[in-house]
Amino acid sequence: YMGAHFSRWNMEQTLSCAHSVFGALVAGQEPPACQAWFLNLLATLMLVSGAAAFVALMAGISAPYGRYVRGGVFGFSVPAKFAWFVQESPAPLCVLACMAATGPRRWAHAPNVLLLGAFLLHYVHRAWIFPFRMGAGKPASLATFLLATLFCLYNGTMQGLALTSATWYPPGYATSLQFVCGLLVFAVGMAINLHADTVLLSL
């Protein structure tokens, strides 16, 4: 479906497609034909970067976070509350921007609304509630702060585009077994996350 012109990856095609995708989003137009290819590319790059990070951590490289924060190549430190608030905020803001740009006619279907709601529930807590429950906290390294901000911007853009203008589900999908099970897994994970936050903040 992506056409012969987009059958092979290169930077020129990627930039051209990105321009078309975001141009259509801002103008409130129908998404271009290459949008599915663009979203697949974003998802693939995220998987590759995650695998690379896993290999690096398993090889013994410590991420410069928490007790592993140090000077030198990792740059200056950023106050913990400020870092959490700023680095996590792009994710919900990008999704809200996509929802506003496309309008409810594109995403006001039960599965999309539930998935958007779950994403926003998680990131509203991470960005706009958790930081204000923290004490002083240990500062984040500048490198970690910038990478986390980039990830949330990337993730929010990808999820926002996918759930507001690229993904539609068949009638009744919101009550299907796989969808309900997926929401239950999210709910359990969210509960564990909230409990872990409470335990960590009490230490």
Side-chain angles (χ1 to χ4, degrees):
Y1 53 82
M2 56 189 172
H5 181 64
F6 289 98
S7 61
R8 294 178 59 190
W9 183 90
N10 64 53
M11 185 59 69
E12 182 180 357
Q13 290 172 348
T14 301
L15 293 176
S16 174
C17 182
H19 182 269
S20 298
V21 168
F22 291 111
L25 181 69
V26 171
Q29 300 172 347
E30 292 295 312
C34 69
Q35 180 171 273
W37 172 85
F38 182 65
L39 287 170
N40 284 335
L41 176 63
L42 293 182
T44 300
L45 292 175
M46 179 173 282
L47 288 172
V48 170
S49 65
F54 174 80
V55 171
L57 292 172
M58 291 298 100
I61 299 175
S62 297
Y65 182 78
R67 63 178 177 173
Y68 297 109
V69 171
R70 51 194 179 273
V73 297
F74 295 112
F76 300 101
S77 296
V78 182
K81 285 189 176 184
F82 175 83
W84 269 104
F85 178 80
V86 174
Q87 73 191 27
E88 302 290 325
S89 290
L93 289 176
C94 285
V95 167
L96 290 171
C98 288
M99 293 174 70
T102 55
R105 68 182 183 85
R106 301 283 298 181
W107 50 262
H109 310 285
N112 299 67
V113 170
L114 289 169
L115 292 173
L116 287 165
F119 185 91
L120 289 172
L121 179 64
H122 170 74
Y123 272 106
V124 165
H125 174 261
R126 299 312 291 170
W128 301 331
I129 297 176
F130 176 73
F132 300 100
R133 296 180 61 201
M134 299 172 65
K138 292 184 178 180
S141 75
L142 181 61
T144 303
F145 166 70
L146 293 176
L147 287 172
T149 303
L150 179 62
F151 171 82
C152 288
L153 179 64
Y154 188 104
N155 189 36
T157 300
M158 181 176 67
Q159 301 291 349
L161 285 172
L163 290 172
T164 62
S165 62
T167 308
W168 292 271
Y169 299 90
Y173 190 77
T175 57
S176 65
L177 179 62
Q178 62 266 40
F179 193 84
V180 172
C181 287
L183 286 181
L184 287 174
V185 170
F186 167 80
V188 171
M190 185 79 183
I192 293 172
N193 182 250
L194 293 173
H195 174 70
D197 284 345
T198 301
V199 172
L200 289 172
L201 291 173
S202 66
L203 295 178

